[in-house]
Amino acid sequence: MSAGYRIENPATGTVEETFDFIADDQLEQTLDTAAKAQAQWAAKPIEDRASVVSKVAALFDERKDELAKIIAQEMGKRVSEGVGEAEYCGEIFQYYADNGPKFAAPQPLEADNGKAMLERRPVGVLLGIMPWNFPYYQVARFAAPNLMLGNAILLKHAEICPKSALAIQQIMDDAGVPAGVYTNVFASHEQVEDIIADNRIQGVSLTGSERAGAAVSAIAGKNLKKAVLELGGSDPYVILDTDDVKAAAKDAWETRMYNTGQACDSNKRLIVMEDIYDEFVAALIEQAQQMKPGPVDSDDPTVYQPLSSKSAAENLAAQIDQVRDAGGTVQIGGSMTGDGAYFEPTVLTDIPRGSDVYYEEFFGPVAVVYAVSSDEEALEVANDSQFGLGGTVFAKDVERAKKVGQGFEVGMAKVNSYSAEGAQLPFGGVKHSGYGRELGPIGMDEFVNKRLYFVAD
């Protein structure tokens, strides 16, 4: 059994508060309550559900400062980034409150001798298994469309995020989400397996590691349950040319350092044309040299925060050792610093293609750089990955960039943009980055009974 739910200050490694796992008999009652509440929730007009979801949106925005302080304490996120995350959650919930009735509207179909409709109906109670890197945003992506549909949710959060999990539960309660329609559960890994297998659960959504995704999908498959998986990423960030190498390096570095590098769709592999490679790497090193550890309430971009936990920092340090063993070069950084989970911002080069560590995801403040000699080689390196979440390409000639972008084997391809985010834009990947989509119109099209309704003439 794991160490349990706890607030473990990542700056110091000190466990400040612990929380008990849910008792088995209480879990049984929770499942029963959720099943009954879901039936009543689904019976409400979707416009009534939208009114409640809109209140959830407003509370995320209203409480953003408090919410940001909580995740700063739990997983070390910069406070200003936490505020932005809470605001984004409000946008997501409001997007589905505004558009949900349209997305779920019956669709007329052509039929002989009768009238046919494709209906989008809820499927029942769902289990969400959420990670620590975006404690609110990940929940919002899953919860907002499914609450609108009329599904109910059991939410198992990361074990280092109990306080943010309870804050979300409080928002749901205060917004008027009926008891049992959204329920936080401090479940153990063993209990999670039982929950997925339970007949009252109709699907599971997980955001997490490859290993967790493989385990959850196996359990879901064994029990014939629908699963949506958003797993890791090692996104390529291709620079074909630029008029200002230093500026391009600064943009790439600041993008990589967001959330201390702990984002699934971060630009983890920087693929740069050989004619600007040396200058680009030197500029990255210069950026890294300016970085210093500091508190979560600093807005100085040269101040970096701790990773989510000491174990996360230790795992990253072990990966850097693998890079050295494989013949790669640590240009700067590569070590833990201090007593907590602080990890030096790091620039890596020369990782041999084909080595085991070449195909791994670096979840932290680590930029890996590769030199290429042609657009074709850039695309080949970009796609030489077990992951397929996102990919970005930059070029002065947009048609040239679009040609490379079209070739990305990913779920989200971006051209001449550091990010393409918004409640209205789908999120998800292919290959080992998982399957299924969240956000946008299709985010409300996953855990849904697409029922044919036919009435004969």
Short mmCIF file of all heavy atoms in Angstrom, two decimals, residues 262-305:
data_model
loop_
_atom_site.label_atom_id
_atom_site.label_comp_id
_atom_site.label_asym_id
_atom_site.label_seq_id
_atom_site.Cartn_x
_atom_site.Cartn_y
_atom_site.Cartn_z
N GLN A 262 6.93 20.48 -15.63
CA GLN A 262 6.07 19.34 -15.31
C GLN A 262 4.73 19.44 -16.03
O GLN A 262 3.67 19.60 -15.42
CB GLN A 262 5.86 19.27 -13.80
CG GLN A 262 7.16 19.11 -13.02
CD GLN A 262 6.97 19.34 -11.54
OE1 GLN A 262 7.12 18.44 -10.73
NE2 GLN A 262 6.65 20.57 -11.17
N ALA A 263 4.78 19.38 -17.35
CA ALA A 263 3.56 19.40 -18.16
C ALA A 263 3.69 18.32 -19.22
O ALA A 263 4.75 18.16 -19.84
CB ALA A 263 3.36 20.77 -18.81
N CYS A 264 2.62 17.56 -19.42
CA CYS A 264 2.66 16.45 -20.38
C CYS A 264 3.00 16.95 -21.78
O CYS A 264 3.74 16.29 -22.51
CB CYS A 264 1.31 15.73 -20.40
SG CYS A 264 0.87 14.99 -18.82
N ASP A 265 2.44 18.11 -22.15
CA ASP A 265 2.62 18.60 -23.51
C ASP A 265 3.67 19.70 -23.58
O ASP A 265 3.64 20.54 -24.47
CB ASP A 265 1.29 19.11 -24.08
CG ASP A 265 0.70 20.24 -23.26
OD1 ASP A 265 1.04 20.36 -22.07
OD2 ASP A 265 -0.11 21.02 -23.80
N SER A 266 4.63 19.67 -22.69
CA SER A 266 5.72 20.64 -22.74
C SER A 266 6.67 20.30 -23.88
O SER A 266 6.71 19.16 -24.37
CB SER A 266 6.48 20.63 -21.41
OG SER A 266 7.49 21.61 -21.40
N ASN A 267 7.46 21.29 -24.30
CA ASN A 267 8.39 21.11 -25.42
C ASN A 267 9.67 20.42 -24.95
O ASN A 267 10.70 21.04 -24.77
CB ASN A 267 8.70 22.47 -26.07
CG ASN A 267 9.20 23.50 -25.06
OD1 ASN A 267 8.89 23.43 -23.87
ND2 ASN A 267 9.97 24.46 -25.53
N LYS A 268 9.60 19.12 -24.81
CA LYS A 268 10.70 18.38 -24.17
C LYS A 268 11.87 18.11 -25.10
O LYS A 268 12.99 17.90 -24.65
CB LYS A 268 10.16 17.08 -23.58
CG LYS A 268 9.07 17.32 -22.53
CD LYS A 268 8.70 16.07 -21.79
CE LYS A 268 7.65 16.37 -20.73
NZ LYS A 268 6.30 16.45 -21.24
N ARG A 269 11.63 18.08 -26.41
CA ARG A 269 12.73 17.84 -27.37
C ARG A 269 12.82 19.02 -28.34
O ARG A 269 11.92 19.24 -29.14
CB ARG A 269 12.48 16.54 -28.14
CG ARG A 269 12.55 15.29 -27.26
CD ARG A 269 12.31 14.02 -28.06
NE ARG A 269 10.98 13.98 -28.64
CZ ARG A 269 10.70 13.59 -29.87
NH1 ARG A 269 11.67 13.22 -30.69
NH2 ARG A 269 9.46 13.57 -30.29
N LEU A 270 13.91 19.76 -28.24
CA LEU A 270 14.14 20.91 -29.10
C LEU A 270 14.98 20.46 -30.29
O LEU A 270 16.12 20.02 -30.12
CB LEU A 270 14.84 22.03 -28.33
CG LEU A 270 14.20 22.40 -26.98
CD1 LEU A 270 14.98 23.53 -26.33
CD2 LEU A 270 12.74 22.78 -27.15
N ILE A 271 14.41 20.55 -31.48
CA ILE A 271 15.04 20.05 -32.70
C ILE A 271 15.37 21.26 -33.57
O ILE A 271 14.47 21.96 -34.04
CB ILE A 271 14.10 19.07 -33.43
CG1 ILE A 271 13.78 17.88 -32.49
CG2 ILE A 271 14.72 18.58 -34.73
CD1 ILE A 271 12.62 17.03 -32.96
N VAL A 272 16.67 21.49 -33.78
CA VAL A 272 17.13 22.76 -34.34
C VAL A 272 18.04 22.51 -35.53
O VAL A 272 18.85 21.58 -35.53
CB VAL A 272 17.91 23.56 -33.26
CG1 VAL A 272 18.30 24.93 -33.78
CG2 VAL A 272 17.07 23.69 -31.98
N MET A 273 17.89 23.34 -36.57
CA MET A 273 18.75 23.22 -37.73
C MET A 273 20.23 23.45 -37.36
O MET A 273 20.53 24.31 -36.53
CB MET A 273 18.33 24.22 -38.81
CG MET A 273 17.12 23.77 -39.60
SD MET A 273 17.47 22.29 -40.58
CE MET A 273 15.79 21.88 -41.11
N GLU A 274 21.10 22.66 -37.98
CA GLU A 274 22.51 22.66 -37.57
C GLU A 274 23.20 24.01 -37.76
O GLU A 274 24.15 24.33 -37.03
CB GLU A 274 23.27 21.57 -38.33
CG GLU A 274 23.26 21.72 -39.84
CD GLU A 274 23.91 20.53 -40.54
OE1 GLU A 274 24.26 19.55 -39.84
OE2 GLU A 274 24.06 20.59 -41.78
N ASP A 275 22.72 24.85 -38.68
CA ASP A 275 23.37 26.14 -38.89
C ASP A 275 23.14 27.12 -37.73
O ASP A 275 23.88 28.11 -37.60
CB ASP A 275 22.95 26.76 -40.22
CG ASP A 275 21.46 27.04 -40.29
OD1 ASP A 275 20.69 26.29 -39.66
OD2 ASP A 275 21.06 28.01 -40.96
N ILE A 276 22.14 26.88 -36.90
CA ILE A 276 21.91 27.74 -35.74
C ILE A 276 22.05 26.97 -34.43
O ILE A 276 21.87 27.55 -33.35
CB ILE A 276 20.51 28.40 -35.80
CG1 ILE A 276 19.40 27.34 -35.84
CG2 ILE A 276 20.40 29.33 -37.01
CD1 ILE A 276 17.99 27.91 -35.71
N TYR A 277 22.39 25.69 -34.51
CA TYR A 277 22.41 24.81 -33.33
C TYR A 277 23.36 25.31 -32.25
O TYR A 277 22.97 25.44 -31.07
CB TYR A 277 22.77 23.40 -33.77
CG TYR A 277 22.98 22.41 -32.64
CD1 TYR A 277 21.91 21.80 -32.02
CD2 TYR A 277 24.27 22.08 -32.20
CE1 TYR A 277 22.09 20.89 -30.99
CE2 TYR A 277 24.47 21.18 -31.17
CZ TYR A 277 23.37 20.58 -30.58
OH TYR A 277 23.57 19.68 -29.56
N ASP A 278 24.60 25.59 -32.59
CA ASP A 278 25.59 25.98 -31.57
C ASP A 278 25.17 27.27 -30.86
O ASP A 278 25.26 27.36 -29.63
CB ASP A 278 26.97 26.16 -32.21
CG ASP A 278 27.59 24.84 -32.65
OD1 ASP A 278 27.15 23.79 -32.14
OD2 ASP A 278 28.50 24.86 -33.50
N GLU A 279 24.72 28.24 -31.63
CA GLU A 279 24.28 29.50 -31.02
C GLU A 279 23.04 29.28 -30.15
O GLU A 279 22.91 29.88 -29.08
CB GLU A 279 24.00 30.54 -32.11
CG GLU A 279 23.65 31.92 -31.57
CD GLU A 279 23.35 32.94 -32.66
OE1 GLU A 279 23.49 32.60 -33.86
OE2 GLU A 279 22.95 34.07 -32.31
N PHE A 280 22.15 28.41 -30.60
CA PHE A 280 20.92 28.11 -29.86
C PHE A 280 21.25 27.46 -28.52
O PHE A 280 20.73 27.85 -27.47
CB PHE A 280 20.03 27.21 -30.70
CG PHE A 280 18.67 26.96 -30.11
CD1 PHE A 280 17.61 27.83 -30.36
CD2 PHE A 280 18.43 25.85 -29.32
CE1 PHE A 280 16.35 27.59 -29.83
CE2 PHE A 280 17.17 25.61 -28.78
CZ PHE A 280 16.13 26.49 -29.03
N VAL A 281 22.12 26.44 -28.54
CA VAL A 281 22.50 25.75 -27.30
C VAL A 281 23.19 26.72 -26.35
O VAL A 281 22.91 26.73 -25.13
CB VAL A 281 23.40 24.54 -27.61
CG1 VAL A 281 23.97 23.95 -26.31
CG2 VAL A 281 22.61 23.46 -28.36
N ALA A 282 24.07 27.55 -26.86
CA ALA A 282 24.76 28.53 -26.02
C ALA A 282 23.76 29.49 -25.37
O ALA A 282 23.91 29.86 -24.19
CB ALA A 282 25.78 29.31 -26.85
N ALA A 283 22.75 29.88 -26.12
CA ALA A 283 21.73 30.78 -25.58
C ALA A 283 20.90 30.09 -24.50
O ALA A 283 20.52 30.72 -23.51
CB ALA A 283 20.84 31.29 -26.70
N LEU A 284 20.61 28.80 -24.69
CA LEU A 284 19.90 28.04 -23.66
C LEU A 284 20.72 27.97 -22.38
O LEU A 284 20.19 28.13 -21.26
CB LEU A 284 19.58 26.62 -24.14
CG LEU A 284 18.47 26.44 -25.16
CD1 LEU A 284 18.32 24.96 -25.50
CD2 LEU A 284 17.13 26.98 -24.66
N ILE A 285 22.00 27.68 -22.52
CA ILE A 285 22.88 27.60 -21.36
C ILE A 285 22.91 28.93 -20.62
O ILE A 285 22.86 28.99 -19.39
CB ILE A 285 24.30 27.18 -21.79
CG1 ILE A 285 24.28 25.75 -22.34
CG2 ILE A 285 25.29 27.30 -20.63
CD1 ILE A 285 25.57 25.32 -23.00
N GLU A 286 22.93 30.01 -21.38
CA GLU A 286 22.90 31.34 -20.78
C GLU A 286 21.60 31.56 -19.99
O GLU A 286 21.61 32.13 -18.90
CB GLU A 286 23.04 32.40 -21.88
CG GLU A 286 23.12 33.83 -21.36
CD GLU A 286 23.29 34.83 -22.49
OE1 GLU A 286 23.79 34.46 -23.57
OE2 GLU A 286 22.89 36.00 -22.29
N GLN A 287 20.48 31.09 -20.54
CA GLN A 287 19.21 31.18 -19.83
C GLN A 287 19.27 30.37 -18.54
O GLN A 287 18.82 30.83 -17.48
CB GLN A 287 18.07 30.67 -20.72
CG GLN A 287 17.73 31.55 -21.90
CD GLN A 287 17.08 32.85 -21.50
OE1 GLN A 287 16.26 32.91 -20.59
NE2 GLN A 287 17.47 33.93 -22.15
N ALA A 288 19.80 29.16 -18.60
CA ALA A 288 19.87 28.29 -17.43
C ALA A 288 20.77 28.89 -16.35
O ALA A 288 20.49 28.75 -15.14
CB ALA A 288 20.37 26.91 -17.84
N GLN A 289 21.84 29.53 -16.77
CA GLN A 289 22.78 30.12 -15.81
C GLN A 289 22.13 31.22 -14.98
O GLN A 289 22.56 31.49 -13.85
CB GLN A 289 24.00 30.68 -16.55
CG GLN A 289 24.95 29.62 -17.08
CD GLN A 289 26.03 30.21 -17.99
OE1 GLN A 289 25.84 31.25 -18.60
NE2 GLN A 289 27.16 29.51 -18.08
N GLN A 290 21.12 31.84 -15.52
CA GLN A 290 20.44 32.93 -14.82
C GLN A 290 19.46 32.43 -13.76
O GLN A 290 18.99 33.20 -12.92
CB GLN A 290 19.69 33.81 -15.82
CG GLN A 290 20.57 34.51 -16.84
CD GLN A 290 19.75 35.24 -17.90
OE1 GLN A 290 18.56 35.50 -17.72
NE2 GLN A 290 20.37 35.55 -19.02
N MET A 291 19.14 31.14 -13.80
CA MET A 291 18.11 30.59 -12.93
C MET A 291 18.64 30.35 -11.52
O MET A 291 19.78 29.96 -11.32
CB MET A 291 17.56 29.29 -13.50
CG MET A 291 17.01 29.38 -14.91
SD MET A 291 15.47 30.34 -15.03
CE MET A 291 14.30 29.21 -14.30
N LYS A 292 17.75 30.57 -10.54
CA LYS A 292 18.10 30.33 -9.14
C LYS A 292 16.86 29.82 -8.41
O LYS A 292 15.74 30.21 -8.75
CB LYS A 292 18.62 31.61 -8.50
CG LYS A 292 17.70 32.82 -8.66
CD LYS A 292 18.37 34.10 -8.23
CE LYS A 292 17.45 35.32 -8.46
NZ LYS A 292 17.22 35.58 -9.90
N PRO A 293 17.05 28.96 -7.43
CA PRO A 293 15.88 28.45 -6.69
C PRO A 293 15.27 29.55 -5.83
O PRO A 293 15.97 30.45 -5.36
CB PRO A 293 16.47 27.33 -5.82
CG PRO A 293 17.91 27.70 -5.65
CD PRO A 293 18.31 28.39 -6.93
N GLY A 294 13.96 29.46 -5.65
CA GLY A 294 13.30 30.48 -4.85
C GLY A 294 11.90 30.09 -4.45
O GLY A 294 11.44 28.98 -4.73
N PRO A 295 11.18 30.99 -3.81
CA PRO A 295 9.86 30.69 -3.26
C PRO A 295 8.77 30.66 -4.33
O PRO A 295 8.93 31.22 -5.42
CB PRO A 295 9.63 31.83 -2.27
CG PRO A 295 10.41 32.97 -2.84
CD PRO A 295 11.63 32.36 -3.45
N VAL A 296 7.65 30.07 -3.97
CA VAL A 296 6.54 29.92 -4.91
C VAL A 296 5.82 31.23 -5.18
O VAL A 296 5.09 31.34 -6.17
CB VAL A 296 5.53 28.87 -4.40
CG1 VAL A 296 6.14 27.49 -4.39
CG2 VAL A 296 5.02 29.24 -3.00
N ASP A 297 6.02 32.22 -4.32
CA ASP A 297 5.31 33.49 -4.53
C ASP A 297 6.13 34.48 -5.36
O ASP A 297 5.73 35.64 -5.51
CB ASP A 297 4.90 34.12 -3.20
CG ASP A 297 6.08 34.40 -2.27
OD1 ASP A 297 7.22 34.04 -2.64
OD2 ASP A 297 5.85 34.94 -1.17
N SER A 298 7.26 34.03 -5.91
CA SER A 298 8.07 34.90 -6.76
C SER A 298 7.53 34.89 -8.19
O SER A 298 7.21 33.83 -8.73
CB SER A 298 9.52 34.43 -6.77
OG SER A 298 10.28 35.17 -7.72
N ASP A 299 7.48 36.07 -8.81
CA ASP A 299 7.09 36.17 -10.21
C ASP A 299 8.29 36.42 -11.11
O ASP A 299 8.13 36.66 -12.31
CB ASP A 299 6.06 37.30 -10.40
CG ASP A 299 4.66 36.87 -9.99
OD1 ASP A 299 4.37 35.66 -10.06
OD2 ASP A 299 3.87 37.74 -9.59
N ASP A 300 9.48 36.34 -10.54
CA ASP A 300 10.71 36.50 -11.31
C ASP A 300 10.91 35.27 -12.19
O ASP A 300 11.02 34.15 -11.68
CB ASP A 300 11.88 36.66 -10.34
CG ASP A 300 13.20 36.95 -11.05
OD1 ASP A 300 13.30 36.70 -12.28
OD2 ASP A 300 14.15 37.38 -10.37
N PRO A 301 10.95 35.41 -13.52
CA PRO A 301 11.08 34.24 -14.40
C PRO A 301 12.41 33.52 -14.24
O PRO A 301 12.55 32.38 -14.70
CB PRO A 301 10.92 34.83 -15.80
CG PRO A 301 11.27 36.27 -15.66
CD PRO A 301 10.83 36.67 -14.29
N THR A 302 13.38 34.16 -13.60
CA THR A 302 14.66 33.48 -13.38
C THR A 302 14.68 32.69 -12.07
O THR A 302 15.68 32.06 -11.73
CB THR A 302 15.83 34.49 -13.36
OG1 THR A 302 15.70 35.35 -12.23
CG2 THR A 302 15.85 35.31 -14.64
N VAL A 303 13.58 32.73 -11.33
CA VAL A 303 13.46 31.95 -10.10
C VAL A 303 12.67 30.69 -10.40
O VAL A 303 11.57 30.74 -10.96
CB VAL A 303 12.75 32.77 -8.99
CG1 VAL A 303 12.41 31.87 -7.80
CG2 VAL A 303 13.63 33.92 -8.55
N TYR A 304 13.25 29.54 -10.06
CA TYR A 304 12.52 28.29 -10.30
C TYR A 304 12.05 27.68 -8.99
O TYR A 304 12.66 27.87 -7.94
CB TYR A 304 13.36 27.29 -11.11
CG TYR A 304 14.63 26.78 -10.45
CD1 TYR A 304 14.62 25.63 -9.67
CD2 TYR A 304 15.85 27.42 -10.65
CE1 TYR A 304 15.78 25.14 -9.09
CE2 TYR A 304 17.02 26.94 -10.08
CZ TYR A 304 16.99 25.79 -9.30
OH TYR A 304 18.14 25.32 -8.73
N GLN A 305 10.94 26.95 -9.08
CA GLN A 305 10.30 26.35 -7.92
C GLN A 305 10.72 24.87 -7.80
O GLN A 305 11.30 24.31 -8.73
CB GLN A 305 8.78 26.45 -8.05
CG GLN A 305 8.23 27.84 -7.73
CD GLN A 305 8.61 28.88 -8.77
OE1 GLN A 305 8.52 28.63 -9.97
NE2 GLN A 305 9.05 30.04 -8.33
#
